[in-house]
Amino acid sequence: TSLDSTGMNEFAFFMLLSSITVTVIMRADIWLMGFYLDKSQIGLYSVASRFTLPLVIVLGALNTALWPRASALTYKTKITEIISTTFRISILVAVFGFIYAIIAPFATPYIFGLSYREGVLIGQILCLRYCISILICPLGVIGYSFGFIKVYWWVNIIQLIIVVAGNVLFLKHFGIIAAGLSLLAMEIIGAIIIAAILVK
């Protein structure tokens, strides 16, 4: 029996809701920092964000590779096999990503100058956020084939609330670190919810 009864128009509608929410999440930190922090802090954050580019590329590649395989997965017979295989790959990639996340940002003062040396920690936090994304990527993509698009959009809403609340409450006190930790918390909580949904 097929596990996904979502029609094409219904899928497109929920995908649109999810995409809009994710787009807002991706910009919310910058918008709020522009209100609460000075430009020098935003510049530091922007420089630190550049270290995430390799991880963003890897995440995009994983999504591209998984989508065609997951789109054909609508029956229970193959679910264990594909989740097991792809999750092992994601763990391996995430481990290398974690090593990169810890080491690479230390190059900040050497690449961008000593005035940016305070960006090392925020760079590590932002990179770790994408390591979590890489780890949970297979579960998220596979979930689309089982009609979870109807659920994912409100998971994204929860993530948006976490990012906005974290920034509004803590930016004044902790600066850009609050923005990074809000994104990290968003990814961890989102990963836990998606994993719990898929297991159920």
Side-chain angles (χ1 to χ4, degrees), residues 3-4 6-7 14-15 21 39 42 45 47 126 130 144 159:
L3 297 177
D4 183 14
T6 309
F14 284 113
M15 192 67 181
T21 307
K39 291 181 180 179
I42 298 174
Y45 188 87
V47 164
L126 292 175
Y130 281 100
Y144 284 116
Q159 290 178 309

Side-chain angles (χ1 to χ4, degrees), residues 21-22 25 152-165 182-183 185-191 193-194:
T21 307
V22 170
I25 291 172
Y152 282 174
W153 73 273
W154 66 255
V155 174
N156 295 141
I157 293 293
I158 292 173
Q159 290 178 309
L160 176 59
I161 292 171
I162 292 169
V163 170
V164 172
S182 295
L183 288 172
M186 174 207 73
E187 290 291 354
I188 293 172
I189 293 173
I193 294 173
I194 290 172

Side-chain angles (χ1 to χ4, degrees), residues 167-180:
N167 280 280
V168 169
L169 292 174
F170 301 113
L171 268 179
K172 286 184 178 180
H173 305 287
F174 302 104
I176 55 176
I177 297 299

Side-chain angles (χ1 to χ4, degrees), residues 3-4 6 73-76 79 142-148 198:
L3 297 177
D4 183 14
T6 309
L73 187 66
T74 56
Y75 297 90
K76 290 182 179 180
I79 183 173
I142 290 169
Y144 284 116
S145 295
F146 303 115
F148 294 165
L198 193 57

Side-chain angles (χ1 to χ4, degrees), residues 72-94:
L73 187 66
T74 56
Y75 297 90
K76 290 182 179 180
T77 53
K78 294 291 184 180
I79 183 173
T80 303
E81 178 183 341
I82 193 169
I83 287 180
S84 176
T85 301
T86 56
F87 196 57
R88 283 200 301 269
I89 294 172
S90 286
I91 290 174
L92 181 62
V93 175

